[in-house]
């Protein structure tokens, strides 16, 4: 039973807490949460009542949508009975973290109007409440079809729900072994297209979809070979009559989130396009593959930003296509490879810069030839899977005689092994047997992958971490992420120039050649390779599918040119709920491209509403992120949620480059919103303002926490923007923590022995632990200046 509630009075003129029994750590403000949205699909051209349920949605007053073709308003809010509060920790047992009283669970009913011309696909929305805006919710805009619901029992064809095409086959595989059947009637020769749109709104189902005739014979089944194969497909029925569509889960599991919404009928759907891109401001004809597309030709003139993409929804005799085509936009001359370059002797000659459009045939790589000066840097990039191609590319570079070119030599100097578990190809944490000879910045080699150490374990229960970006570990020297098994050896390696020779030491020597499979963070399965010509002359590039596959669904764009340093920005969180009299941190992250490592100045774009103030900052050279602070005056008045933008500027090769955070296809995120809310449960202050530290030494920082609103819980402290190779020292499993009976905490930072002289501002923030996944951190408005001194300079001052 809940023991505390928040009550909203006069549109949130006062926050009152009614407790029927005291809670050991008092109440706390939980940011709005969204747990469910229904219906999950809405026909365009209709107006419906949509229900969102979640925590602390009381007082919801407005709803914001990502699509201008969708409008809506809140018509009522009611409180719902509590659900069981069962929370599991990382070990699978009930969590011991005190999150305070269970917040109220609310149901918000919205009137949502979908324009007749609204595009079929996913729409995002946020609810605006007195506590700020909610996380993003999602639903589907669908064509005006009848909906065939999943009515149990329908595990057998006899219980199938009869659907009249075109229709939306909608349901969920909610229990292990659940199978759903739908009955359809077709004409002889009729081709029915099936498009499952549920993955766009977060479905966890891996569907296996079968077409079954009246005798129980499976005529077609998809979803076993590749999960994407059941996303969209078609089947032409030889004979007319009744048939069944069977939906199951690949792993035969079941849960509420295993949903599906399958459009079935004569659907205009695009499965692939060729070429995958166009030149900027150039008129082009794109050949489309798919279903019910008319002549299958998309004619357009691309005006997007060079190096970016545009999303196009082709027009067909059946109306606008039900999905978009994403095309790249480039400035370089574009040529076509028609497949006559399947050997090194027939390599297609390239003049840089150039973009090559082509397709990979099965088991038939394509070869290209280019010339380079000695020491000239050349970038080779493949765009394929990022634009919807099935190609899993591999790039290799050879000399004019067809011999591989050595890039570097990795010499192992120390060996340990991976323990505890198997490791996938992405995670940054690697559990190793020993680490006594490792230091931050060392290179390690596991299999054919080379990574760089970012953190050395403090004990046997911690992972070694390697450099990563957005959850994907970074592999160096053109190597690609691999899965590694338990007990596999991992080596500390020294990197040497090509051709280096060594006396045997009993450990491996790995000669690394110019080649790349997966390009790393931001590239997915597409290849990216930086090549430096060892001498003047001609070189060969081989492009292939790593699996030896190919065909019409394997198009690519290959860019061969000199590097073009650049960057892209993202900001987190995407919605900023600022407490009156408080400060929140905003993390701005740069995706650095093609060698740009210089500084990037970042700030909020445009003017902020009265009562709001924001800092400016710089992503330092070689770093990937920095923190902006957004503050609200104690008497700031709410004017409703308003959009914001964050801009970054840098000088690259004597030109000013400006980028907008979270921008896609030239458009900012429509749901980047700032809202002002009540005063926070905590106020955090950095008592230490300047720290000077020498490599290999430690220094203390004191942070103070003032609790308010009756909150008495613990406060985890976050330390942001530490300079390179400066760490929080020995903070334990819980990190830096101000316990329930404490008002301040001193923690220690360590400059690693190989830290370079540098200075920068560090930001400390405190987090209130709640049941919400939204950021609930409040920052000290004062930054801490950390100055790492060189050893000689430090000793000269003594």
């Amino acid at each position: 039973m809940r023991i505390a509630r928040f009550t909203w009075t006069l549109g949130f003129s006062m926050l009152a807490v009614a407790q029927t029994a005291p809670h050991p750590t008092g109440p706390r403000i939980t940011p709005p949460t969204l747990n469910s949205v229904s219906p999950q699909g809405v026909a365009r051209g209709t107006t419906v009542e949509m229900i969102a349920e979640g925590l602390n949605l009381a007082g919801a007053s407005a709803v914001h949508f990502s699509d201008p073709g969708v409008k809506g308003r809140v018509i009522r809010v009611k409180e719902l009975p509590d659900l069981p509060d069962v929370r599991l920790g990382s070990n699978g047992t009930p969590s011991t973290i005190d999150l305070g009283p269970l917040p109220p669970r609310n149901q918000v009913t919205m009137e949502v109007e979908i324009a007749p011309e609204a595009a079929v696909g996913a729409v995002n929305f946020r609810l605006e409440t007195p506590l700020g805006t909610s996380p993003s919710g999602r639903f589907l805009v669908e064509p005006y079809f009848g909906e065939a619901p999943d009515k149990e029992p329908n595990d057998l064809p006899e219980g199938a729900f009869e659907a009249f095409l075109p229709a939306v086959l909608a349901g969920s595989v909610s229990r292990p072994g659940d199978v759903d059947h739908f009955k359809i009637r077709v004409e002889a020769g009729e081709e029915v297209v099936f498009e499952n749109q549920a993955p766009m709104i977060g479905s966890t189902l891996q569907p296996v979809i079968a077409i079954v005739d009246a005798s129980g014979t499976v005529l077609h089944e998809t979803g076993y070979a590749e999960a994407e194969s059941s996303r969209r497909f078609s089947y032409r029925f030889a004979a007319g009559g009744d048939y069944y569509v069977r939906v199951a889960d690949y792993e035969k599991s079941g849960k509420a989130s295993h949903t599906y919404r399958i459009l079935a009928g004569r659907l205009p759907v695009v499965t692939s396009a060729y070429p995958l891109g166009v030149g900027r401001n150039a008129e082009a004809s794109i050949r489309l593959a798919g279903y019910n597309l008319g002549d299958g030709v998309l004619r357009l003139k691309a005006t997007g930003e060079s190096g970016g993409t545009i999303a196009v929804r082709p027009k067909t005799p059946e109306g606008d296509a039900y999905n978009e085509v994403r095309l790249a936009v480039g400035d370089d001359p574009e040529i076509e490879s028609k497949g006559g370059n399947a050997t090194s002797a027939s390599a297609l000659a390239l003049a840089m810069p150039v973009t090559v459009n082509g397709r990979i045939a099965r088991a038939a790589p394509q070869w290209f030839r280019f010339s380079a000066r000695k020491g000239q840097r050349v970038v080779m990039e493949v765009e394929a899977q990022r634009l919807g191609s099935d190609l899993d590319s591999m790039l290799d570079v050879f000399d004019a005689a067809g011999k591989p070119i050595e890039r570097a030599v990795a010499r192992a100097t120390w060996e340990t092994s991976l323990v505890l578990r198997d490791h996938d190809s992405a995670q940054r944490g690697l559990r190793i047997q020993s680490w006594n000879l490792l230091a931050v910045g060392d290179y390690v080699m596991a299999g054919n992958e080379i990574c760089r150490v970012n953190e050395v374990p403090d004990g046997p229960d911690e992972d070694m971490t390697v450099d990563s970006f957005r959850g994907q570990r970074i592999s160096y020297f053109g190597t690609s992420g691999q899965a590694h098994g338990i007990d596999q050896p991992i080596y500390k390696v020294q990197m040497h120039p090509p051709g280096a020779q060594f006396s045997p030491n009993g450990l491996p020597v790995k000669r690394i050649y110019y080649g790349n499979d997966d390009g790393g963070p931001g590239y997915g399965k597409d290849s990216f390779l930086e090549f430096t010509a060892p001498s003047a002359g001609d070189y060969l590039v081989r492009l292939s599918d790593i699996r030896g596959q190919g065909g019409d669904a394997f198009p690519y764009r290959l860019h061969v040119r000199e590097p073009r340093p650049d960057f892209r920005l993202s900001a987190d969180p995407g919605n900023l709920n600022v407490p009156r009299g408080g400060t929140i941190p905003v993390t701005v992250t740069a995706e650095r491209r093609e060698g740009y490592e210089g500084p990037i100045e970042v700030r909020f774009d445009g003017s902020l509403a009265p009562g709001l103030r924001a800092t400016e900052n710089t992503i330092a050279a070689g770093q990937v992120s920095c923190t902006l602070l957004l503050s609200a005056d104690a008497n700031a008045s709410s004017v409703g949620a308003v959009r914001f933008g964050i801009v970054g500027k840098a000088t690259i090769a004597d030109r000013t480059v400006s980028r907008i955070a979270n921008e896609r296809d030239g458009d900012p995120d429509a749901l980047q919103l700032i809202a002002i809310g009540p005063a926070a449960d905590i106020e955090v202050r950095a008592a230490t303002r300047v720290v000077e530290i020498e490599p290999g030494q430690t220094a203390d920082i004191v942070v103070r926490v003032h609790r308010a609103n009756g909150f008495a819980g613990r406060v985890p402290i976050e330390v942001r923007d530490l300079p390179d190779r400066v760490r929080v020292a020995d903070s334990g499993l819980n990190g830096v923590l101000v316990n329930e009976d404490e008002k301040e905490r001193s923690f220690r930072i360590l400059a690693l022995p190989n830290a370079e002289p540098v200075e920068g501002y560090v930001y400390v923030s405190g987090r209130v632990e709640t049941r919400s996944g939204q950021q609930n951190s409040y920052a000290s408005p004062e930054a801490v200046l950390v100055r790492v001194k060189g050893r000689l300079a430090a000793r000269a001052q003594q």
Side-chain angles (χ1 to χ4, degrees), residues 458-480:
D458 287 329
D461 294 328
E462 294 185 15
D463 288 346
M464 172 190 73
T465 63
V466 298
D467 291 351
S468 65
F469 186 77
R470 291 180 180 163
Q472 170 74 51
R473 66 174 179 262
I474 299 172
S475 303
Y476 289 89
F477 301 96
T479 63
S480 298

mmCIF file of all heavy atoms in Angstrom, residues 458-480:
data_model
loop_
_atom_site.group_PDB
_atom_site.id
_atom_site.type_symbol
_atom_site.label_atom_id
_atom_site.label_comp_id
_atom_site.label_asym_id
_atom_site.label_seq_id
_atom_site.Cartn_x
_atom_site.Cartn_y
_atom_site.Cartn_z
ATOM 1 N N ASP A 458 40.156 -2.208 -10.097
ATOM 2 C CA ASP A 458 40.652 -2.008 -8.732
ATOM 3 C C ASP A 458 40.656 -3.308 -7.935
ATOM 4 O O ASP A 458 41.233 -3.369 -6.852
ATOM 5 C CB ASP A 458 39.783 -0.982 -7.999
ATOM 6 C CG ASP A 458 40.028 0.438 -8.495
ATOM 7 O OD1 ASP A 458 41.167 0.730 -8.904
ATOM 8 O OD2 ASP A 458 39.078 1.231 -8.489
ATOM 9 N N GLY A 459 39.988 -4.347 -8.464
ATOM 10 C CA GLY A 459 39.910 -5.610 -7.750
ATOM 11 C C GLY A 459 39.342 -6.687 -8.643
ATOM 12 O O GLY A 459 38.953 -6.439 -9.789
ATOM 13 N N PRO A 460 39.251 -7.916 -8.148
ATOM 14 C CA PRO A 460 38.832 -9.045 -8.980
ATOM 15 C C PRO A 460 37.361 -9.014 -9.382
ATOM 16 O O PRO A 460 36.959 -9.756 -10.270
ATOM 17 C CB PRO A 460 39.124 -10.261 -8.093
ATOM 18 C CG PRO A 460 39.112 -9.724 -6.691
ATOM 19 C CD PRO A 460 39.647 -8.336 -6.782
ATOM 20 N N ASP A 461 36.555 -8.169 -8.735
ATOM 21 C CA ASP A 461 35.136 -8.101 -9.069
ATOM 22 C C ASP A 461 34.824 -6.972 -10.048
ATOM 23 O O ASP A 461 33.658 -6.617 -10.231
ATOM 24 C CB ASP A 461 34.301 -7.908 -7.799
ATOM 25 C CG ASP A 461 34.364 -9.115 -6.880
ATOM 26 O OD1 ASP A 461 34.489 -10.232 -7.405
ATOM 27 O OD2 ASP A 461 34.309 -8.931 -5.656
ATOM 28 N N GLU A 462 35.835 -6.400 -10.671
ATOM 29 C CA GLU A 462 35.629 -5.316 -11.613
ATOM 30 C C GLU A 462 36.177 -5.691 -12.980
ATOM 31 O O GLU A 462 37.141 -6.453 -13.106
ATOM 32 C CB GLU A 462 36.315 -4.035 -11.128
ATOM 33 C CG GLU A 462 35.715 -3.446 -9.863
ATOM 34 C CD GLU A 462 36.358 -2.117 -9.499
ATOM 35 O OE1 GLU A 462 37.051 -1.528 -10.364
ATOM 36 O OE2 GLU A 462 36.184 -1.681 -8.355
ATOM 37 N N ASP A 463 35.558 -5.150 -14.018
ATOM 38 C CA ASP A 463 36.029 -5.326 -15.384
ATOM 39 C C ASP A 463 37.160 -4.350 -15.687
ATOM 40 O O ASP A 463 37.216 -3.244 -15.127
ATOM 41 C CB ASP A 463 34.911 -5.062 -16.387
ATOM 42 C CG ASP A 463 33.865 -6.164 -16.415
ATOM 43 O OD1 ASP A 463 34.125 -7.241 -15.859
ATOM 44 O OD2 ASP A 463 32.786 -5.926 -16.986
ATOM 45 N N MET A 464 38.043 -4.746 -16.565
ATOM 46 C CA MET A 464 38.861 -3.773 -17.273
ATOM 47 C C MET A 464 37.964 -3.139 -18.330
ATOM 48 O O MET A 464 37.216 -3.841 -19.022
ATOM 49 C CB MET A 464 40.048 -4.456 -17.956
ATOM 50 C CG MET A 464 40.852 -3.539 -18.874
ATOM 51 S SD MET A 464 42.067 -4.438 -19.873
ATOM 52 C CE MET A 464 40.995 -5.261 -21.058
ATOM 53 N N THR A 465 38.000 -1.824 -18.464
ATOM 54 C CA THR A 465 37.212 -1.182 -19.510
ATOM 55 C C THR A 465 38.138 -0.631 -20.580
ATOM 56 O O THR A 465 39.269 -0.218 -20.296
ATOM 57 C CB THR A 465 36.322 -0.055 -18.959
ATOM 58 O OG1 THR A 465 37.144 0.972 -18.401
ATOM 59 C CG2 THR A 465 35.379 -0.586 -17.896
ATOM 60 N N VAL A 466 37.648 -0.644 -21.816
ATOM 61 C CA VAL A 466 38.407 -0.130 -22.948
ATOM 62 C C VAL A 466 37.662 1.052 -23.541
ATOM 63 O O VAL A 466 36.491 1.306 -23.226
ATOM 64 C CB VAL A 466 38.639 -1.229 -24.002
ATOM 65 C CG1 VAL A 466 39.459 -2.372 -23.408
ATOM 66 C CG2 VAL A 466 37.313 -1.764 -24.547
ATOM 67 N N ASP A 467 38.328 1.797 -24.400
ATOM 68 C CA ASP A 467 37.705 2.960 -25.027
ATOM 69 C C ASP A 467 36.421 2.542 -25.730
ATOM 70 O O ASP A 467 36.368 1.498 -26.396
ATOM 71 C CB ASP A 467 38.647 3.591 -26.051
ATOM 72 C CG ASP A 467 39.857 4.255 -25.402
ATOM 73 O OD1 ASP A 467 39.874 4.381 -24.166
ATOM 74 O OD2 ASP A 467 40.784 4.640 -26.141
ATOM 75 N N SER A 468 35.395 3.369 -25.589
ATOM 76 C CA SER A 468 34.115 3.072 -26.221
ATOM 77 C C SER A 468 33.420 4.374 -26.559
ATOM 78 O O SER A 468 33.806 5.455 -26.110
ATOM 79 C CB SER A 468 33.234 2.232 -25.295
ATOM 80 O OG SER A 468 32.889 2.981 -24.135
ATOM 81 N N PHE A 469 32.369 4.247 -27.355
ATOM 82 C CA PHE A 469 31.563 5.406 -27.722
ATOM 83 C C PHE A 469 30.137 4.936 -27.916
ATOM 84 O O PHE A 469 29.877 4.015 -28.705
ATOM 85 C CB PHE A 469 32.104 6.053 -29.009
ATOM 86 C CG PHE A 469 31.424 7.348 -29.376
ATOM 87 C CD1 PHE A 469 31.743 8.513 -28.707
ATOM 88 C CD2 PHE A 469 30.477 7.387 -30.385
ATOM 89 C CE1 PHE A 469 31.120 9.711 -29.039
ATOM 90 C CE2 PHE A 469 29.846 8.577 -30.722
ATOM 91 C CZ PHE A 469 30.176 9.743 -30.044
ATOM 92 N N ARG A 470 29.216 5.527 -27.161
ATOM 93 C CA ARG A 470 27.793 5.196 -27.239
ATOM 94 C C ARG A 470 27.544 3.692 -27.136
ATOM 95 O O ARG A 470 26.803 3.103 -27.922
ATOM 96 C CB ARG A 470 27.195 5.742 -28.531
ATOM 97 C CG ARG A 470 27.113 7.260 -28.545
ATOM 98 C CD ARG A 470 26.530 7.766 -29.833
ATOM 99 N NE ARG A 470 26.459 9.232 -29.831
ATOM 100 C CZ ARG A 470 26.305 9.965 -30.922
ATOM 101 N NH1 ARG A 470 26.198 9.380 -32.096
ATOM 102 N NH2 ARG A 470 26.252 11.274 -30.840
ATOM 103 N N GLY A 471 28.186 3.074 -26.157
ATOM 104 C CA GLY A 471 27.928 1.675 -25.886
ATOM 105 C C GLY A 471 28.652 0.698 -26.785
ATOM 106 O O GLY A 471 28.499 -0.519 -26.628
ATOM 107 N N GLN A 472 29.465 1.184 -27.709
ATOM 108 C CA GLN A 472 30.204 0.316 -28.631
ATOM 109 C C GLN A 472 31.688 0.522 -28.392
ATOM 110 O O GLN A 472 32.180 1.646 -28.454
ATOM 111 C CB GLN A 472 29.856 0.658 -30.076
ATOM 112 C CG GLN A 472 30.730 -0.012 -31.118
ATOM 113 C CD GLN A 472 30.426 -1.471 -31.294
ATOM 114 O OE1 GLN A 472 29.275 -1.836 -31.478
ATOM 115 N NE2 GLN A 472 31.444 -2.312 -31.232
ATOM 116 N N ARG A 473 32.419 -0.568 -28.102
ATOM 117 C CA ARG A 473 33.841 -0.378 -27.876
ATOM 118 C C ARG A 473 34.544 -0.023 -29.186
ATOM 119 O O ARG A 473 34.116 -0.410 -30.277
ATOM 120 C CB ARG A 473 34.470 -1.591 -27.217
ATOM 121 C CG ARG A 473 34.534 -2.874 -27.992
ATOM 122 C CD ARG A 473 35.335 -3.917 -27.184
ATOM 123 N NE ARG A 473 35.408 -5.194 -27.864
ATOM 124 C CZ ARG A 473 34.621 -6.227 -27.596
ATOM 125 N NH1 ARG A 473 33.701 -6.132 -26.662
ATOM 126 N NH2 ARG A 473 34.756 -7.355 -28.270
ATOM 127 N N ILE A 474 35.623 0.710 -29.058
ATOM 128 C CA ILE A 474 36.377 1.196 -30.202
ATOM 129 C C ILE A 474 37.525 0.241 -30.478
ATOM 130 O O ILE A 474 38.294 -0.099 -29.579
ATOM 131 C CB ILE A 474 36.908 2.611 -29.932
ATOM 132 C CG1 ILE A 474 35.737 3.579 -29.706
ATOM 133 C CG2 ILE A 474 37.788 3.093 -31.080
ATOM 134 C CD1 ILE A 474 36.164 4.958 -29.239
ATOM 135 N N SER A 475 37.639 -0.193 -31.728
ATOM 136 C CA SER A 475 38.752 -1.038 -32.157
ATOM 137 C C SER A 475 39.693 -0.187 -33.001
ATOM 138 O O SER A 475 39.248 0.626 -33.814
ATOM 139 C CB SER A 475 38.243 -2.236 -32.965
ATOM 140 O OG SER A 475 37.309 -2.987 -32.216
ATOM 141 N N TYR A 476 40.993 -0.399 -32.822
ATOM 142 C CA TYR A 476 41.997 0.457 -33.445
ATOM 143 C C TYR A 476 42.714 -0.256 -34.586
ATOM 144 O O TYR A 476 42.657 -1.471 -34.720
ATOM 145 C CB TYR A 476 43.009 0.922 -32.395
ATOM 146 C CG TYR A 476 42.427 1.919 -31.417
ATOM 147 C CD1 TYR A 476 41.807 1.491 -30.242
ATOM 148 C CD2 TYR A 476 42.456 3.281 -31.683
ATOM 149 C CE1 TYR A 476 41.257 2.410 -29.350
ATOM 150 C CE2 TYR A 476 41.911 4.206 -30.793
ATOM 151 C CZ TYR A 476 41.319 3.761 -29.632
ATOM 152 O OH TYR A 476 40.777 4.661 -28.755
ATOM 153 N N PHE A 477 43.402 0.550 -35.434
ATOM 154 C CA PHE A 477 44.229 0.068 -36.545
ATOM 155 C C PHE A 477 43.414 -0.726 -37.563
ATOM 156 O O PHE A 477 43.914 -1.673 -38.174
ATOM 157 C CB PHE A 477 45.417 -0.759 -36.030
ATOM 158 C CG PHE A 477 46.314 0.000 -35.109
ATOM 159 C CD1 PHE A 477 46.161 -0.097 -33.730
ATOM 160 C CD2 PHE A 477 47.291 0.848 -35.605
ATOM 161 C CE1 PHE A 477 46.971 0.627 -32.866
ATOM 162 C CE2 PHE A 477 48.105 1.579 -34.752
ATOM 163 C CZ PHE A 477 47.944 1.474 -33.390
ATOM 164 N N GLY A 478 42.144 -0.327 -37.751
ATOM 165 C CA GLY A 478 41.306 -0.959 -38.753
ATOM 166 C C GLY A 478 40.710 -2.282 -38.320
ATOM 167 O O GLY A 478 39.968 -2.892 -39.098
ATOM 168 N N THR A 479 41.012 -2.753 -37.111
ATOM 169 C CA THR A 479 40.417 -4.003 -36.648
ATOM 170 C C THR A 479 38.961 -3.765 -36.270
ATOM 171 O O THR A 479 38.519 -2.622 -36.101
ATOM 172 C CB THR A 479 41.188 -4.583 -35.452
ATOM 173 O OG1 THR A 479 41.115 -3.663 -34.346
ATOM 174 C CG2 THR A 479 42.659 -4.803 -35.817
ATOM 175 N N SER A 480 38.196 -4.828 -36.140
ATOM 176 C CA SER A 480 36.771 -4.726 -35.861
ATOM 177 C C SER A 480 36.407 -5.498 -34.607
ATOM 178 O O SER A 480 37.107 -6.459 -34.233
ATOM 179 C CB SER A 480 35.961 -5.267 -37.052
ATOM 180 O OG SER A 480 36.202 -4.504 -38.213
#
